[in-house]
């Protein structure tokens, strides 16, 4: 595994830090960094616990590292009768390092419960993209920890060649840097911008894209395979009668 200089520098910081935040946009090597760090620590017989806020994120973390990763609720051993956690100050976690992936999705109550179960001797590594949407629950833990300046933060910014082939990835980083995304259409790529003169034309074009163009081009089912994201409730209400799969956020 060949690491970029920024990743090597991040590992050097991680090995001397009791608490560390690793952040960066999509495809900047956060997963590779974590995998490399864990291999180095496992060689020294460090006991590591991996967790993430959702089952899908935990599964992805497990697949990338080859180690067992749990949801935070499972790691803390949720009591289904009371909704509380069995792991706390009196029954702390048994590990030397705790890695929390997708930390931007963790809300304040869940992070509080996790830190309560963390012994003083345990090191903590928080991994996540600070530019993602904040958690559904209260607070924005990752952003606030970074803004506090209380712990070291490593920002990975280098987009690697394979990831740079995705216009979604490239445009995400351009937006984060205050630049306009690349809107010109490119055949067989993964990002498309459709202009519309007004809301009515926008709805007509969107319906055509979801119901006809995407299914014809990619063979997707318009109901099961396509999701439409609406930034405002009003837009969702306009589309709802015509599109059965949408999400308001």
């Amino acid at each position: 595994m060949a690491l970029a200089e920024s990743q090597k520098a991040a590992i050097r910081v991680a090995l001397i830090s009791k608490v560390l935040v690793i952040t960066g946009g999509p495809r900047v090597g956060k997963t590779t960094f974590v995998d490399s760090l864990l291999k180095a620590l496992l060689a020294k017989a460090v006991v590591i616990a991996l967790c993430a806020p959702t089952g899908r994120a935990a599964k992805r973390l497990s697949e990338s590292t080859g180690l067992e990763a749990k949801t935070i609720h499972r790691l803390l051993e949720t009591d289904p009768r009371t909704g509380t956690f069995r792991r706390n100050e009196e029954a702390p976690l048994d590990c030397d390092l705790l890695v929390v992936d997708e930390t931007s999705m963790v809300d304040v109550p869940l992070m509080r419960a996790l830190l309560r179960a963390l012994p003083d001797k345990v090191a903590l590594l928080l991994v996540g993209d600070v530019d993602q949407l904040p958690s559904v629950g209260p607070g924005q833990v990752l952003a606030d920890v970074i803004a506090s300046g209380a712990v070291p933060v490593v920002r990975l910014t280098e987009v690697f060649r394979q990831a740079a082939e995705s216009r979604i990835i490239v445009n995400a980083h351009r937006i984060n840097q205050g630049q306009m995304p690349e809107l010109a259409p490119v055949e067989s790529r993964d990002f498309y911008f459709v202009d519309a003169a007004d809301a009515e034309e926008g709805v007509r074009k969107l319906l055509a894209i979801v119901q006809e163009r995407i299914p014809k081009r990619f063979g997707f089912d318009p109901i099961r395979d396509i999701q439409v994201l609406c930034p405002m409730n009003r837009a969702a209400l306009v589309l709802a009668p015509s599109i059965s799969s949408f999400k308001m956020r």
Side-chain angles (χ1 to χ4, degrees):
M1 183 181 296
L3 298 179
E5 288 303 319
S6 58
Q7 292 171 316
K8 294 178 182 178
I11 287 180
R12 285 192 285 269
V13 175
L15 292 175
I16 61 172
S17 302
K18 185 69 174 294
V19 181
L20 179 67
V21 174
I22 297 293
T23 188
R27 304 296 179 88
V28 293
K30 296 190 296 294
T31 299
T32 301
F33 161 81
V34 171
D35 189 31
S36 301
L37 175 64
L38 297 187
K39 281 182 169 58
L41 295 176
L42 288 172
K44 299 297 182 180
V46 174
V47 180
I48 299 170
L50 308 178
C51 67
T54 67
R56 183 175 182 180
K59 181 181 179 181
R60 188 167 59 247
L61 179 61
S62 181
E63 291 172 348
S64 66
T65 61
L67 303 173
E68 182 184 18
K70 301 178 180 180
T71 64
I72 298 176
H73 287 81
R74 185 180 169 206
L75 180 72
L76 296 178
E77 301 178 14
T78 306
D79 187 339
R81 295 172 300 177
T82 62
T84 59
F85 299 111
R86 296 189 178 97
R87 292 286 188 171
N88 49 38
E89 300 100 321
E90 298 176 356
L93 297 171
D94 184 17
C95 59
D96 300 314
L97 169 68
L98 176 64
V99 179
V100 185
D101 198 13
E102 298 289 357
T103 309
S104 63
M105 300 170 62
V106 182
D107 60 26
V108 169
L110 187 57
M111 181 58 76
R112 177 179 181 271
L114 186 61
L115 295 180
R116 286 181 60 195
L118 208 61
D120 291 339
K121 69 179 183 67
V122 176
L124 177 64
L125 175 62
L126 303 177
V127 184
D129 183 355
V130 71
D131 294 312
Q132 286 183 340
L133 287 171
S135 60
V136 176
Q140 46 182 12
V141 172
L142 182 62
D144 287 344
V145 170
I146 292 174
S148 72
V151 299
V153 176
V154 173
R155 294 179 181 268
L156 300 177
T157 59
E158 181 178 351
V159 181
F160 295 96
R161 185 176 62 182
Q162 184 176 1
E165 296 177 359
S166 166
R167 294 188 79 201
I168 293 177
I169 302 300
V170 171
N171 283 335
H173 285 276
R174 288 180 65 88
I175 292 170
N176 283 343
Q177 295 164 7
Q179 302 175 5
M180 280 292 293
E182 297 176 354
L183 303 180
V186 177
E187 190 63 29
S188 72
R189 300 300 287 270
D190 55 7
F191 180 96
Y192 297 89
F193 175 79
V194 179
D195 193 14
D198 51 46
E200 288 72 18
E201 182 185 3
V203 170
R204 288 195 300 270
K205 287 186 174 182
L206 181 58
L207 291 175
I209 290 171
V210 172
Q211 296 174 345
E212 302 171 14
R213 294 175 59 182
I214 292 179
K216 181 179 179 180
R217 174 70 173 79
F218 299 102
F220 292 157
D221 184 280
I223 295 177
R224 292 195 303 267
D225 301 330
I226 301 174
Q227 185 178 55
V228 178
L229 303 181
C230 300
M232 298 178 295
N233 289 355
R234 183 179 178 184
L237 292 174
V238 171
L239 293 170
S242 303
I243 300 178
S244 60
S245 177
F246 68 91
K247 181 178 182 181
M248 293 178 289
R249 183 66 187 263

